[in-house]
Amino acid sequence: MKREVLAATLSARRHGLASALVRDLKIGTQAFVSDNETTGDLTIDFNIRQLVLHAISEDRPGRLPDPYGDIFVQVFNPPARLIVIGAVHITQALAPMAALAGYGVTVIDPRRAFATDQRFPGITLLNEWPDDGLEALKPDRRTAVVTLTHDPKLDDAALSVALKSQCFYVGSLGSRKTHQARLNRLKRMGFSDAELARIHGPVGLAIGALTPAEIAVSILGQITQVRRARPEPASAAA
Amino acid sequence: MTMDAREDVLAEAARWRESGKGVALATVVTTWGSSPRPVGSQLAVDEAGQMIGSVSGGCIEGAVVKEAQEVIADGKPRLLDFGVSNEQAWEVGLACGGKVQVYVERVE
């Protein structure tokens, strides 16, 4: 790998820019590609560039389709994000777990007594009202949003922003009964059944989680499932 | 793929190279069946065999390190195929039954 290609890749990563390292596996040439830059000895023509930008936006590394099958695209996107509403006990477990799993984690809670650096070492905290805070963070297709305050005026505010965004996961803490009440409130705010069906509630996989850390595991498990799981091929059983 | 060990692998490879070491980078470019590490996973190797990152659950790293040292020596990138048959499983191969293709290149 040429020094300038490696340097461009590392610099893009440091600046949180989406980019790709593109290699011709047969002849050993390579290029760095981002939205507004191309560096390297591999020629990136219009078609290849479109395919590379598509791989970046889909977050899907791999070989390009024929006739470019010898070209391998390694995608470097900024971390996927997890935004948690509520600096509560479950969040104290969920935030570091999600950071370990590679997410950029932000916790929003207007209650300063909850959102303290002491309770959340190393985690980005926003002391804002959930709808303002979430709106400012612009949740996108690589963002998961989880509400854990258990307080309708905080959770509903966040959900009303999350449901209008493209975020790939929305989860909300609460029992079945609480969740039904929440759906009814949001319906009165004008959300359709299809929109409300995006909310995972009660939040998390049904693994019988009891403690805050176990609930965090079930939530992170569900986020992982939504993000990664592909339907099993029918012939998979041997 | 997101912020994971991979960023550190690339940065570490660059640091090793800057300190004057010979360095090779191994990257998973294709997988079939169940494979332990996804496409794009990386392993950096220096001339002394020191490594960071992974291209499998540990099954093929030994062989990749050996090849990487040849790549460091001659500068020619290589495309390595690893699969498994039952007899092979104890040697270089993937006990999980998957197949991976790993590209190894020298960091210039």
Side-chain angles (χ1 to χ4, degrees), chain B residues 67-107:
Chain B
E67 293 277 349
Q69 281 164 328
E70 284 171 33
V71 170
I72 293 171
D74 68 18
K76 292 197 190 83
R78 287 161 174 70
L79 195 53
L80 311 173
D81 282 292
F82 294 96
V84 70
S85 65
N86 286 334
E87 317 84 73
Q88 254 186 357
W90 326 114
E91 298 170 12
V92 176
L94 296 162
C96 49
K99 287 199 288 181
V100 297
Q101 203 170 42
V102 177
Y103 182 72
V104 187
E105 67 201 310
R106 185 164 75 180
V107 178

Side-chain angles (χ1 to χ4, degrees), chain A residues 1 23 59 63 74-75, chain B residues 1 30 101 105-106 108:
Chain A
M1 164 149 344
R23 298 173 179 85
D59 215 355
R63 287 171 187 262
Q74 187 176 11
V75 173
Chain B
M1 298 290 292
T30 321
Q101 203 170 42
E105 67 201 310
R106 185 164 75 180
E108 303 295 344

Side-chain angles (χ1 to χ4, degrees), chain A residues 56-70:
Chain A
I56 294 173
S57 76
E58 294 292 307
D59 215 355
R60 197 174 298 153
R63 287 171 187 262
L64 293 184
D66 285 332
Y68 308 112
D70 288 326

Side-chain angles (χ1 to χ4, degrees), chain A residues 195-230:
Chain A
E195 287 171 311
L196 295 177
R198 286 176 65 195
I199 306 175
H200 293 266
V203 73
L205 298 175
I207 55 173
L210 277 180
T211 66
E214 288 171 359
I215 294 168
V217 167
S218 82
I219 295 171
L220 191 55
Q222 189 169 52
I223 293 172
T224 308
Q225 183 181 52
V226 169
R227 184 162 178 228
R228 303 287 197 199
R230 300 271 181 279

Side-chain angles (χ1 to χ4, degrees), chain B:
Chain B
M1 298 290 292
T2 55
M3 188 211 85
D4 53 13
R6 190 184 54 180
E7 181 181 19
D8 299 329
V9 171
L10 265 190
E12 192 65 19
R15 271 194 293 275
W16 286 352
R17 187 70 198 101
E18 261 158 45
S19 74
K21 290 176 181 163
V23 183
L25 200 56
T27 307
V28 176
V29 295
T30 321
T31 65
W32 296 266
S34 67
S35 65
R37 298 285 278 121
V39 168
S41 302
Q42 292 194 300
L43 172 76
V45 180
D46 76 2
E47 59 205 3
Q50 188 181 188
M51 58 182 189
I52 179 171
S54 67
V55 288
S56 77
C59 345
I60 61 171
E61 268 75 3
V64 172
V65 166
K66 215 186 268 172
E67 293 277 349
Q69 281 164 328
E70 284 171 33
V71 170
I72 293 171
D74 68 18
K76 292 197 190 83
R78 287 161 174 70
L79 195 53
L80 311 173
D81 282 292
F82 294 96
V84 70
S85 65
N86 286 334
E87 317 84 73
Q88 254 186 357
W90 326 114
E91 298 170 12
V92 176
L94 296 162
C96 49
K99 287 199 288 181
V100 297
Q101 203 170 42
V102 177
Y103 182 72
V104 187
E105 67 201 310
R106 185 164 75 180
V107 178
E108 303 295 344

